[in-house]
Amino acid sequence: MEQDVRSFYQEEALRIDKEKEKLGKDYNRIAWSRLIVFLAAVILLYMGLTERPGKIIYLIGGIAGFAAFLFLIRLHDGIEKKQRLLAARETAVRAYPERFTDGWRDFPENGSRYLEMDTDYSHDVVKDLDLIGPGSLYQMISICQTTYGKWRLADTLLSPLLRVKELKKRQEAISELAEKKEFLLDYESVVRQAFVDERQHPLRIGKEGARPARSYKPGKIRFAVWMAFLMIFVPAMNVAVISCILLGLIQPAWVLVSFIVGYAVTAGCREKLESMTGGIFSTEMTKGRVYPVFQTIKNEEFSSEMLRDFHDRVAGDDGMLNAQRRLSHLADLKNLDYNPLLGMLMTGFLGWNFFLAFLAYRWDRQCGSAFAGSFDIIGELEELGSLAVLSIVRRTTIPELDENEKGIRFREMLHPLIDPDSVVANSGTLESPMTIITGSNMSGKTTFMRTVAVNLVLSYIGAGVTAEYFCSGIRRIFTSMRVQDDVAGGISTFYAEILRIKAMADYIRNDNEIPALCLIDEIFKGTNSADRIVGAEEAIRKLSEGDSMVVVTTHDFELCSLTGKDGTPAENFHFEEYYEGDKLKFDYTMKDGPCTTRNARALLKMAGLMEE
């Protein structure tokens, strides 16, 4: 199955290469045709506006030539749009093979900007589990291009328990999207094309931790009476002058005078017009690229409730797709203004910017409200699609979440961020309030704890988990893994760990409705062995009170015989090494009972720090 998925993206990459070559040839051919037609139209117009026999025929030919020129411009723009979309699709396609290996670690977007957001989980948990940041789950799966989509995915990973209330709907939507590889490519491509420049994004980053604010707000566009007067005056003046020239009442040179007057009036008001239209023409949303996003949603059929709701809101009677369609047409008209020569002619002869301002005003009154809410759908679908990516590039299953389940049961559970060709699966059950994991250095103890926790997070947010079977209750996750000192704050590594464990104990003491799962790596490793063992015993007992669970890795075998306050013994698992000749090897497989081997001497010898 994995090979079939990889082949799909390889074949798509080859198809894109062929399409790029064809579009390139079409683009060059129309570019030359457009230049030739324009020159011919200029010559014909000149002959039609000067005294010579049959000048009316020349004038008609010149006008027809300009009409053909405009048609070729639209045709040329259409090919350019296809090229941009194809380039966006190529970027999306080539990212998928990287996700099957460790190549995704070079992806530029890792969500680090969101690590300071207010979150359900502490930032320590997020960093310990590699949910966001360099080498994170966010970095591997994100297909988000919009500011809101990126924020939404980060918020989901930072506060997974908030998504549990809509778990069933999310599971169905994400599972369905995982089966729609072609749609996800189409969707990522059109969104990537639409939001190619985040500096001109209609959703801007607000203060740290806040939902992105909208730069466009409906009902803010204005169209004053003086604007309406000038919108009529400029083209009427030019029509009157041209008519008088054709009737022989004035000299042809007067057309230049009327053009200059019209251009001066229109260009002089351009800055004012931009401000009164809310600046919508300076954002990506009016460049004709957003409409295909909604067209892509409309053209797809969905069966899950959440995706059907998105579809209905786009294609239904609320005007969302219609708002995008009309804005796309408005954007096409604005694009004519970007052509230096054509834009100058339309500005001087038609007062084009006044017409654009009026059309923007009318669109804002009729469609602005629907448009303003449409970006939520784009971002939410990006977030769900990103979570579906995991099920495309990894073997996943839908987990079971049972509020009455006291333990965590799993079969063939994998860490989603480790290369599938080298990752090792584990099966077992964690059900004791106290679990002690011992084992050799580098044998996989910490990775195992992260594997459990990351799959728990995935199960809370409706994503597939990387296991053949996974069942758990709902628990709030606490971690103490990558503990660092704070020299500036005068906090040692040992004290930093104490603060983390204190936060766990405080949560449990408050008897919260959601029980805790505390994952501690090498507990109290920053102090002497005597204090470490006594302190660890007391801490583990406190963290196992009520319905809470604590899982601890340690090299202190004294903790293996730990019992709870009621005399219940801690459950023991271990990881161990083996040797092939003089080489140290690991199978990274969890085994029952405490560890019986040590490898510190072997590692020191391998490093040349200890004699045979």
Side-chain angles (χ1 to χ4, degrees):
M1 176 181 175
E2 181 180 305
Q3 188 59 43
D4 291 341
V5 175
R6 294 194 187 196
S7 297
F8 169 80
Y9 294 107
Q10 291 170 351
E11 292 171 3
E12 182 64 16
L14 292 175
R15 187 195 69 79
I16 288 173
D17 288 340
K18 294 179 181 178
E19 184 70 13
K20 282 172 59 179
E21 183 178 358
K22 178 180 179 299
L23 286 176
K25 292 178 180 178
D26 292 343
Y27 183 89
N28 292 331
R29 185 173 63 252
I30 293 176
W32 281 107
S33 300
R34 189 175 71 173
L35 177 61
I36 293 170
V37 169
F38 174 76
L39 293 175
V42 170
I43 293 172
L44 289 171
L45 276 178
Y46 173 77
M47 296 177 70
L49 291 174
T50 56
E51 290 298 329
R52 65 182 64 247
K55 68 176 185 177
I56 296 297
I57 296 176
Y58 289 121
L59 184 62
I60 294 173
I63 294 173
F66 267 109
F69 175 66
L70 293 176
F71 172 76
L72 289 173
I73 285 179
R74 290 184 63 86
L75 200 60
H76 201 249
D77 288 344
I79 292 177
E80 189 175 7
K81 286 181 181 179
K82 289 180 180 179
Q83 287 179 317
R84 289 197 302 265
L85 181 60
L86 199 63
R89 189 179 184 88
E90 182 179 28
T91 301
V93 167
R94 296 195 185 282
Y96 276 86
E98 302 296 333
R99 294 185 174 107
F100 287 102
T101 64
D102 282 337
W104 58 267
R105 295 181 184 274
D106 294 326
F107 290 176
E109 181 65 47
N110 59 39
S112 294
R113 75 178 79 169
Y114 302 106
L115 284 174
E116 300 306 316
M117 285 171 54
D118 293 332
T119 159
D120 183 38
Y121 285 169
S122 74
H123 300 149
D124 295 326
V125 174
V126 174
K127 294 175 182 177
D128 283 348
L129 301 183
D130 296 314
L131 297 179
I132 292 180
S136 67
L137 182 66
Y138 182 105
Q139 186 176 18
M140 186 182 81
I141 66 175
S142 176
I143 61 172
C144 301
Q145 305 301 316
T146 69
T147 303
Y148 180 66
K150 294 173 184 178
W151 174 87
R152 172 85 182 186
L153 178 60
D155 186 57
T156 294
L157 294 173
L158 290 165
S159 304
L161 293 177
L162 297 181
R163 305 291 186 253
V164 172
K165 58 186 178 182
E166 51 182 5
L167 180 64
K168 188 65 176 177
K169 292 181 180 179
R170 290 178 61 85
Q171 282 182 338
E172 292 175 352
I174 293 169
S175 295
E176 182 177 0
L177 288 173
E179 298 296 324
K180 293 180 176 291
K181 296 189 295 294
E182 187 72 37
F183 169 76
L184 281 183
L185 273 182
D186 291 342
Y187 188 70
E188 181 182 355
S189 301
V190 293
V191 176
R192 184 182 292 273
Q193 181 196 16
F195 301 98
V196 65
D197 187 352
E198 195 171 275
R199 292 171 302 172
Q200 295 182 324
H201 202 293
L203 291 173
R204 63 179 185 269
I205 293 288
K207 63 180 182 179
E208 225 40 87
R211 173 177 171 152
R214 295 189 181 96
S215 59
Y216 164 76
K217 295 181 180 180
K220 298 295 184 180
I221 295 179
R222 298 289 181 265
F223 191 75
V225 174
W226 65 267
M227 296 165 65
F229 171 76
L230 291 177
M231 181 181 71
I232 297 172
F233 169 76
V234 172
M237 175 187 64
N238 282 286
V239 168
V241 169
I242 293 173
S243 298
C244 290
I245 292 173
L246 293 175
L247 292 173
L249 300 178
I250 57 177
Q251 294 298 316
W254 279 98
V255 73
L256 181 61
V257 175
S258 67
F259 168 78
I260 293 174
V261 171
Y263 187 87
V265 169
T266 307
C269 297
R270 182 172 293 167
E271 186 175 342
K272 183 68 173 178
L273 294 173
E274 286 289 343
S275 65
M276 295 188 72
T277 54
I280 67 168
F281 288 124
S282 64
T283 65
E284 286 292 329
M285 64 184 179
T286 56
K287 292 187 178 177
R289 301 178 186 174
V290 175
Y291 174 69
V293 176
F294 283 85
Q295 191 65 45
T296 301
I297 297 174
K298 179 189 176 184
N299 292 341
E300 190 69 22
E301 294 184 1
F302 299 105
S303 58
S304 60
E305 181 180 349
M306 186 172 284
L307 297 181
R308 284 202 318 269
D309 178 62
F310 288 166
H311 183 275
D312 292 345
R313 288 164 62 189
V314 167
D317 298 330
D318 56 9
M320 193 169 290
L321 184 61
N322 180 56
Q324 296 293 339
R325 180 186 296 111
R326 292 181 60 179
L327 184 61
S328 179
H329 294 158
L330 185 58
D332 287 339
L333 294 176
K334 176 61 178 177
N335 286 340
L336 297 177
D337 195 37
Y338 294 139
N339 184 290
L341 181 59
L342 183 62
M344 183 174 65
L345 292 174
M346 296 177 72
T347 300
F349 283 119
L350 300 178
W352 188 239
N353 295 95
F354 293 111
F355 281 95
L356 290 175
F358 172 72
L359 293 173
Y361 168 79
R362 188 176 65 174
W363 173 85
D364 178 61
R365 289 294 179 272
Q366 297 175 353
C367 305
S369 297
F371 176 82
S374 62
F375 288 94
D376 291 349
I377 287 182
I378 296 177
E380 288 173 26
L381 193 50
E382 282 184 300
E383 177 237 342
L384 295 172
S386 296
L387 296 173
V389 165
L390 180 64
S391 293
I392 294 175
V393 300
R394 297 290 186 271
R395 295 181 180 179
T396 63
T397 190
I398 298 176
E400 296 180 13
L401 271 187
D402 184 353
E403 294 182 357
N404 298 319
E405 176 61 58
K406 300 299 182 182
I408 304 172
R409 294 180 284 128
F410 49 90
R411 184 171 64 249
E412 294 296 306
M413 179 182 66
L414 306 169
H415 195 297
L417 301 184
I418 299 178
D419 191 325
D421 294 332
S422 59
V423 68
V424 175
N426 273 289
S427 302
T429 301
L430 300 177
E431 55 187 353
S432 173
M434 299 180 297
T435 299
I436 310 297
I437 302 178
T438 50
S440 306
N441 296 293
M442 305 191 305
S443 60
K445 305 185 299 297
T446 308
T447 299
F448 169 75
M449 287 201 301
R450 289 195 178 108
T451 303
V452 172
V454 170
N455 279 289
L456 273 175
V457 170
L458 290 171
S459 68
Y460 298 158
I461 60 181
V465 296
T466 49
E468 285 188 2
Y469 172 78
F470 191 90
C471 179
S472 172
I474 300 173
R475 293 182 175 274
R476 184 182 177 90
I477 301 171
F478 292 87
T479 63
S480 178
M481 296 179 183
R482 292 173 176 146
V483 182
Q484 295 180 331
D485 60 3
D486 181 358
V487 177
I491 297 176
S492 68
T493 302
F494 177 58
Y495 189 57
E497 184 178 7
I498 288 177
L499 293 178
R500 288 207 194 185
I501 294 177
K502 179 181 182 299
M504 302 176 191
D506 290 345
Y507 178 86
I508 294 170
R509 189 182 303 116
N510 290 332
D511 195 25
N512 286 278
E513 182 179 349
I514 301 177
L517 171 65
C518 304
L519 303 171
I520 306 174
D521 186 34
E522 303 292 350
I523 187 169
F524 294 148
K525 57 182 173 292
T527 190
N528 65 78
S529 58
D531 289 341
R532 179 171 63 245
I533 293 169
V534 173
E537 288 178 347
E538 289 301 314
I540 292 171
R541 289 192 181 102
K542 285 185 179 294
L543 298 180
S544 64
E545 293 178 354
D547 292 328
S548 296
M549 293 174 61
V550 57
V551 181
V552 172
T553 69
T554 182
H555 289 287
D556 295 318
F557 293 103
E558 294 87 344
L559 296 179
C560 294
S561 58
L562 181 65
T563 58
K565 292 181 179 180
D566 60 356
T568 303
E571 190 170 21
N572 279 269
F573 297 101
H574 73 276
F575 291 80
E576 61 186 18
E577 79 284 357
Y578 65 95
Y579 293 87
E580 287 185 358
D582 60 348
K583 292 186 177 180
L584 186 65
K585 300 283 187 177
F586 304 96
D587 61 13
Y588 305 111
T589 302
M590 186 178 72
K591 301 175 179 63
D592 292 334
C595 183
T596 58
T597 63
R598 305 186 185 199
N599 71 353
R601 287 178 178 271
L603 291 174
L604 289 169
K605 290 177 182 178
M606 290 170 60
L609 300 176
M610 190 172 183
E611 298 296 331
E612 293 290 340

